[in-house]
Amino acid sequence: MSANGQSALLIDGKKIAEDIQNKLRDDIKTWSELHKRKPTLVAVLVGEDPASCKYIEKKMQAAEYVGIDSRTEKLHESVTEDELITKVVELNKDESVDGILVQLPVPQHISERNVCNAVDPTKDVDGFHIMNVGKLSLNMMTFVPCTVLAVIELLARTGIETFGKNVVICGRSKNIGLPLSMLLHSDARYELPGHEATVTLCHRHTPPEQLKVFTKTADIIISATGVVGLIKADMVKEGACVIDVGINRIKTQEGKVKLVGDVDFSAVREVAGHITPVPGGVGPVTVAMLMKNTFQAAMDRLKQ
Amino acid sequence: MSANGQSALLIDGKKIAEDIQNKLRDDIKTWSELHKRKPTLVAVLVGEDPASCKYIEKKMQAAEYVGIDSRTEKLHESVTEDELITKVVELNKDESVDGILVQLPVPQHISERNVCNAVDPTKDVDGFHIMNVGKLSLNMMTFVPCTVLAVIELLARTGIETFGKNVVICGRSKNIGLPLSMLLHSDARYELPGHEATVTLCHRHTPPEQLKVFTKTADIIISATGVVGLIKADMVKEGACVIDVGINRIKTQEGKVKLVGDVDFSAVREVAGHITPVPGGVGPVTVAMLMKNTFQAAMDRLKQ
């Protein structure tokens, strides 16, 4: 139990996502009436991975809610890299399409990097194109990966200070951990403002006892590793903010599939000041951020 | 005085640079004889900043030593951004030129970013083009900034282990601190191998007492801030490796200009296990790495 005898405040990602999407819905309505068209998002889904199908479904639902035209191009899992890229290039050329996302992972015979680089950078609402990665590194205005935006948004809307604070990020993935570290450590005066935190990037080769030293000094812990139960109560400083980006499917004793994060939630919430649940934390806000990026892409296209 | 009663081993950057350049000199000789041409490096210098002139001079000397044809295109400090970029584009098109570097800083009326992006990425031996920044973020083979390569090389040639070690980088510049953090934290199995350290990136808004907490736990401290005397003896863990990237010009009591780093050298060397001096540490190796990048650019061009 934390010092004040209360468990952590739950950061309600579902509610925050709703707030964002309601505001977006209004803005998109106004914009669509003015320009006589809706923003358009196309998802490309290769194969039928159940988790990927579920994500796509949520994205399509959110798009409908906020007033974005969306559709999913489904390709067989045997599609070649060339065929997939041909499809992407076709969408690049299609003037009616504002945002394109290729649902990852793609089958192993296809290079994820080649596919991400095939998407027109101005339609790259996932922010995975190498040019957009470079821009983010340099804090230039660009599409920031949706999960990264979601974490930043959750912190901001919960009033968590980052300036001069210690942030520990667990997980160095190119789509989440690394770009998060870039946005969190950097200078607030850039075109794409950074968040002025001191950031430690930990990963599988950080020795467990060292990981604990770092997390214990952290004001904010962000875990994006896919390791169930990685963040335990004795690793968390009292009152710290814990953001759980992990989405892990585990089987319960009854044989059902259950979603859990990287954080030992019930124990950590007794120590932390703020905590995100899984599900209902980062996930819904990530979807909302995809909608925001798509609307941004649509607005930018009209300005060109 | 450190535990063994001895002061830190000095990492001799001048000697390491010589070793690198002697090896390069042999390799370039063989290559030049085979291909009937020498690698060619062109530096573009705007204005007459004394420090910049000095750097350029050292680069030209090193080029001559290793067998790289080099020249400096000098432009007046009143040159416009367009004129500078026109010059760069001309060098891009010149088939006889392998490597191009624009000596930074450029005058304030010119956008450094626009100039860096004007250099053909395949001739960008400084590694500052946005595409090369993106590649480095993703650990794809690319030109890595010379100072970053120099630090990595100094660690490797001194036998300093990075795997699972704690590294603290002071300074978040886009040309040094940030790319260093990328190479040091990342996975060794990438095309451009990372170094598997746990990296904390500190900067001007890291509170001094927190900075000390981090540096005290660090196996390797790298300072690239331009703050004279930032790293003091009581901030360093006994036996740690201290790499000083700072190059600061201070005036002595006699009114002479003296080069010093960020580290309180004489006190820190009594605590550290290894330490680089300034001058004679990172600087000479940085120049050697520029030669290496230029030779690489020349070899890559022939393969195209």
Side-chain angles (χ1 to χ4, degrees):
Chain A
M1 188 81 60
S2 67
N4 59 6
Q6 297 186 332
S7 55
L9 289 172
L10 218 63
I11 302 180
D12 187 345
K14 231 175 137 181
K15 174 69 171 62
I16 290 175
E18 272 173 29
D19 291 347
I20 296 166
Q21 290 181 179
N22 284 335
K23 170 78 166 65
L24 266 179
R25 186 185 163 103
D26 290 344
D27 293 348
I28 291 174
K29 188 161 182 280
T30 308
W31 186 90
S32 298
E33 283 169 3
L34 187 65
H35 298 291
K36 315 278 179 234
R37 60 170 292 227
K38 286 179 169 188
T40 300
L41 172 67
V42 178
V44 180
L45 175 64
V46 181
E48 295 179 343
D49 174 65
S52 291
C53 292
K54 190 81 193 162
Y55 288 138
I56 290 284
E57 194 188 313
K58 288 199 175 173
K59 290 169 185 177
M60 298 295 115
Q61 280 169 358
E64 190 178 351
Y65 182 79
V66 300
I68 289 175
D69 263 345
S70 72
R71 67 175 194 271
T72 303
E73 302 264 1
K74 292 181 181 170
L75 300 174
H76 193 268
E77 63 180 3
S78 67
V79 72
T80 66
E81 185 176 308
D82 276 355
E83 287 165 343
L84 174 53
I85 288 178
T86 302
K87 168 53 74 184
V88 169
V89 170
E90 190 183 293
L91 295 169
N92 287 344
K93 289 183 189 152
D94 185 338
E95 281 301 320
S96 73
V97 175
D98 298 302
I100 302 168
L101 77 92
V102 181
Q103 183 67 40
L104 301 181
V106 287
Q108 290 220 326
H109 66 276
I110 298 175
S111 155
E112 197 170 290
R113 179 44 43 208
N114 291 348
V115 173
C116 290
N117 284 350
V119 176
D120 182 326
T122 67
K123 298 187 176 189
D124 173 35
V125 287
D126 264 340
F128 294 162
H129 189 285
I130 192 167
M131 192 66 100
N132 289 330
V133 171
K135 283 186 174 177
L136 175 53
S137 301
L138 298 167
N139 289 75
M140 295 166 71
M141 224 21 116
T142 185
F143 293 112
V144 175
C146 304
T147 311
V148 174
L149 284 180
V151 173
I152 301 282
E153 195 75 23
L154 283 166
L155 293 172
R157 290 187 181 240
T158 310
I160 307 289
E161 179 65 83
T162 56
F163 189 102
K165 299 296 180 185
N166 294 341
V167 175
V168 168
I169 298 174
C170 303
R172 58 185 169 179
S173 71
K174 301 298 185 192
N175 296 347
I176 305 180
L178 179 61
L180 249 178
S181 81
M182 288 177 186
L183 261 191
L184 283 168
H185 88 270
S186 52
D187 196 313
R189 292 167 300 178
Y190 280 113
E191 183 182 290
L192 178 66
H195 293 267
E196 305 277 12
T198 302
V199 177
T200 303
L201 197 46
C202 297
H203 49 76
R204 66 179 71 237
H205 296 308
T206 303
E209 73 280 5
Q210 288 299 319
L211 176 60
K212 189 172 168 178
V213 169
F214 287 117
T215 57
K216 267 289 199 187
T217 67
D219 303 298
I220 300 167
I221 298 171
I222 302 166
S223 188
T225 66
V227 179
V228 176
L230 176 72
I231 306 298
K232 298 186 168 46
D234 67 353
M235 296 166 67
V236 177
K237 184 170 79 172
E238 206 160 274
C241 176
V242 179
I243 307 283
D244 193 346
V245 187
I247 301 180
N248 310 298
R249 286 169 174 75
I250 59 169
K251 278 209 170 163
T252 62
Q253 286 180 327
E254 298 84 43
K256 288 189 182 168
V257 172
K258 188 187 164 189
L259 282 191
V260 297
D262 295 350
V263 176
D264 183 2
F265 183 77
S266 56
V268 170
R269 76 178 295 186
E270 300 303 314
V271 185
H274 292 85
I275 190 167
T276 60
V278 176
V282 176
V285 185
T286 299
V287 175
M289 289 299 111
L290 176 65
M291 300 306 123
K292 202 172 175 183
N293 276 353
T294 304
F295 183 36
Q296 188 63 52
M299 290 191 293
D300 290 351
R301 287 175 67 69
L302 278 199
K303 276 187 216 139
Q304 277 167 4
Chain B
M1 188 81 62
S2 68
N4 59 6
Q6 297 184 333
S7 55
L9 288 172
L10 218 63
I11 302 179
D12 188 345
K14 232 176 136 181
K15 173 71 172 60
I16 290 175
E18 272 172 30
D19 292 347
I20 296 167
Q21 290 181 181
N22 284 335
K23 172 76 165 65
L24 265 179
R25 186 185 163 103
D26 291 344
D27 293 348
I28 291 174
K29 190 162 180 279
T30 308
W31 185 89
S32 297
E33 282 169 4
L34 188 66
H35 297 291
K36 316 280 180 229
R37 60 170 293 227
K38 288 180 168 185
T40 300
L41 171 67
V42 178
V44 180
L45 174 64
V46 181
E48 297 180 340
D49 174 64
S52 291
C53 292
K54 189 81 194 161
Y55 289 138
I56 289 285
E57 195 188 313
K58 289 198 175 172
K59 291 169 186 177
M60 297 295 114
Q61 280 169 358
E64 191 178 350
Y65 182 78
V66 300
I68 289 175
D69 264 345
S70 72
R71 67 174 194 273
T72 303
E73 301 265 0
K74 292 181 182 171
L75 300 174
H76 192 268
E77 64 179 2
S78 66
V79 71
T80 66
E81 185 175 307
D82 276 355
E83 287 165 343
L84 174 53
I85 288 179
T86 302
K87 167 55 73 184
V88 169
V89 171
E90 191 184 292
L91 295 169
N92 287 344
K93 289 182 189 156
D94 185 340
E95 280 301 319
S96 73
V97 175
D98 299 302
I100 302 168
L101 78 90
V102 180
Q103 183 67 40
L104 300 181
V106 286
Q108 291 220 326
H109 65 276
I110 297 174
S111 156
E112 197 171 290
R113 181 42 43 206
N114 290 348
V115 173
C116 290
N117 284 349
V119 176
D120 182 328
T122 67
K123 298 187 176 188
D124 173 35
V125 287
D126 264 339
F128 294 161
H129 189 285
I130 192 167
M131 192 67 100
N132 290 330
V133 172
K135 283 186 173 176
L136 175 53
S137 301
L138 298 166
N139 288 74
M140 295 166 72
M141 222 24 113
T142 185
F143 292 113
V144 175
C146 304
T147 310
V148 174
L149 284 181
V151 173
I152 301 283
E153 196 75 24
L154 284 166
L155 293 172
R157 289 186 181 241
T158 311
I160 307 290
E161 179 64 84
T162 57
F163 189 100
K165 299 295 180 186
N166 295 342
V167 175
V168 168
I169 298 173
C170 303
R172 58 185 169 179
S173 70
K174 301 298 184 193
N175 296 347
I176 306 180
L178 179 62
L180 249 178
S181 80
M182 288 177 186
L183 262 191
L184 284 169
H185 88 271
S186 52
D187 196 312
R189 292 168 299 179
Y190 281 113
E191 183 183 289
L192 179 66
H195 294 267
E196 305 277 13
T198 302
V199 177
T200 303
L201 196 45
C202 298
H203 49 76
R204 65 180 73 238
H205 296 307
T206 303
E209 72 281 5
Q210 289 299 318
L211 176 59
K212 190 172 167 178
V213 169
F214 287 117
T215 57
K216 267 290 200 186
T217 67
D219 303 299
I220 300 167
I221 299 172
I222 302 165
S223 188
T225 66
V227 179
V228 176
L230 177 71
I231 307 298
K232 297 185 171 45
D234 67 352
M235 296 166 67
V236 177
K237 184 169 78 171
E238 208 160 90
C241 175
V242 179
I243 307 282
D244 192 347
V245 188
I247 301 180
N248 311 297
R249 285 168 175 75
I250 59 168
K251 278 209 170 162
T252 62
Q253 285 180 327
E254 299 83 43
K256 287 187 181 167
V257 172
K258 189 187 163 188
L259 282 190
V260 298
D262 295 351
V263 176
D264 183 2
F265 183 77
S266 57
V268 170
R269 76 178 295 186
E270 300 303 313
V271 186
H274 292 84
I275 190 167
T276 60
V278 176
V282 176
V285 185
T286 299
V287 174
M289 291 298 113
L290 176 65
M291 300 306 122
K292 201 172 176 183
N293 276 353
T294 303
F295 183 36
Q296 188 63 52
M299 290 190 293
D300 291 349
R301 285 175 69 68
L302 278 199
K303 277 187 216 140
Q304 277 166 5

